[in-house]
Amino acid sequence: MGRNLTFSTFGKATAVFDRAELAEKVGKEGMGLPFLLRSIQDDYFNERFGTLPKGGTHNFLLHHPNLINAAVRLAMDSKYSVWGSELKESIRRYFREELWMEFEVFGEFLPHSGCYVDLDPTHKDKWQLPAARITNRHHPLIDPVNKLMVRRGMDVLEAIRPKAKKVFPWAWANTTYHLQHGTCRFGTDPERSVLDANCQSHEVKNLYVTDGSFMPSSLGVPATATIISNSLRVAYSIRERFIKREIDG
Ligand SMILES: Cc1cc2nc3c(=O)[nH]c(=O)nc-3n(C[C@H](O)[C@H](O)[C@H](O)COP(=O)(O)OP(=O)(O)OC[C@H]3O[C@@H](n4cnc5c(N)ncnc54)[C@H](O)[C@@H]3O)c2cc1C
């Protein structure tokens, strides 16, 4: 337990389009839509990647339309912070002259011995129990693949017509910390897994675990739908055991 922690690798780039040029092409109605939301998985498996032929998912979206979120990002997300008249001008341009389109990469995060949760030998929590400690190192094969996926996403943004004024990367091979999996992975071998195929603990009878921790890998896609589907599958298997009276009511 605690081993084989996985997150998702993360990459991102943005294209800035001229609003007027786009409106000419797609019409006023097309410009009114606040969403884009198109995912592609052309690189989900890709032999071109070499040793690790597993990539992940590109999710294309419009920059979030929330006013405050946009202003904060314009102020903070550049190499240096902007404020005052420079910030006002970039906010004006952003809402009146530009349209920002971006993609996120959710890449396969291979489990390995360098990414795990354990107990901190020195730091204690408020109950004086050893605090949980996360160690996150990327498997050496995943960053090069994620960088190729970011490059491919930028190729897509650069191919759009009318042409973007600029296309620039934010992240090539980061970690998406809010997508978490592993630490109680399922499997058939009790030596190498915590849970059995139905997510019941190998060691503790009738203990089931159905959050993201059962997953042996990160999939290369945001995993919440998989976590929910698996929970339903496990719930059916528990129901069957109740019916067969393998579990007392
Ligand atoms: C900002 C943000 C954006 C996200 N966006 C996406 C997205 O776009 N797409 C996507 O697929 N996923 C997204 N996710 C990830 C998604 O929320 C998680 O993958 C999903 O919630 C994980 O489900 P889980 O059941 O593993 O854990 P959780 O949803 O965290 O459930 C764990 C539950 O256990 C409870 N709990 C903890 N300790 C105890 C205890 N001791 N006793 C009893 N109960 C306890 C907690 O209260 C919680 O309800 C996002 C997450 C965040 C934070």
Side-chain angles (χ1 to χ4, degrees):
M1 191 186 290
R3 295 179 197 164
N4 301 301
L5 171 66
T6 63
F7 298 98
S8 172
T9 49
F10 182 72
K12 178 171 165 170
T14 297
V16 179
F17 292 93
D18 184 296
R19 245 175 210 280
E21 276 184 25
L22 271 183
E24 211 171 287
K25 179 146 189 203
V26 301
K28 264 199 167 168
E29 303 75 35
M31 295 296 290
L33 298 172
F35 306 113
L36 177 69
L37 294 182
R38 288 282 182 277
S39 292
I40 57 171
Q41 291 193 314
D42 293 30
D43 286 340
Y44 197 73
F45 290 110
N46 190 339
E47 299 299 331
R48 194 171 56 96
F49 290 156
T51 319
L52 177 64
K54 172 84 184 284
T57 306
H58 289 89
N59 179 31
F60 287 83
L61 62 164
L62 294 184
H63 199 240
H64 202 290
N66 176 299
L67 296 179
I68 293 172
N69 175 283
V72 169
R73 284 195 48 185
L74 288 168
M76 305 301 294
D77 267 3
S78 54
K79 284 193 188 110
Y80 52 92
S81 303
V82 286
W83 64 89
S85 55
E86 197 182 340
L87 176 58
K88 273 190 187 168
E89 174 55 19
S90 64
I91 293 173
R92 190 196 64 75
R93 261 201 323 269
Y94 175 84
F95 284 107
R96 302 191 74 93
E97 293 174 8
E98 298 171 347
L99 187 126
W100 289 32
M101 187 189 294
E102 53 197 16
F103 68 83
E104 301 167 323
V105 168
F106 297 99
E108 177 63 273
F109 193 108
L110 287 181
H112 71 121
S113 58
C115 193
Y116 55 89
V117 181
D118 68 351
L119 296 177
D120 194 315
T122 50
H123 190 75
K124 297 216 176 357
D125 66 14
K126 65 177 176 182
W127 293 284
Q128 293 309 305
L129 294 169
R133 178 175 67 172
I134 294 171
T135 300
N136 173 23
R137 282 187 220 110
H138 284 197
H139 189 286
L141 291 179
I142 61 176
D143 287 1
V145 168
N146 211 69
K147 287 174 187 169
L148 288 171
M149 289 194 65
V150 173
R151 188 53 256 171
R152 167 96 112 158
M154 289 172 68
D155 290 346
V156 173
L157 292 179
E158 284 163 1
I160 295 174
R161 295 292 178 270
K163 209 169 159 34
K165 292 200 293 184
K166 57 178 175 177
V167 175
F168 54 98
W170 297 97
W172 288 95
N174 289 18
T175 306
T176 308
Y177 287 101
H178 61 264
L179 300 177
Q180 306 143 0
H181 334 89
T183 68
C184 281
R185 71 175 173 184
F186 73 165
T188 48
D189 180 358
E191 292 297 317
R192 303 182 63 221
S193 56
V194 177
L195 309 171
D196 70 11
N198 282 327
C199 290
Q200 184 179 185
S201 163
H202 288 301
E203 284 186 10
V204 183
K205 196 172 164 251
N206 296 335
L207 172 66
Y208 287 83
V209 182
T210 62
D211 65 357
S213 57
F214 83 96
M215 292 171 55
S217 106
S218 76
L219 304 180
V221 70
T224 309
T226 306
I227 294 168
I228 294 168
S229 310
N230 182 61
S231 302
L232 291 171
R233 181 186 71 87
V234 172
Y236 282 118
S237 84
I238 295 173
R239 177 175 170 268
E240 290 305 306
R241 290 192 63 212
F242 266 112
I243 291 169
K244 288 184 197 157
R245 298 194 178 279
E246 290 173 12
I247 308 175
D248 292 333

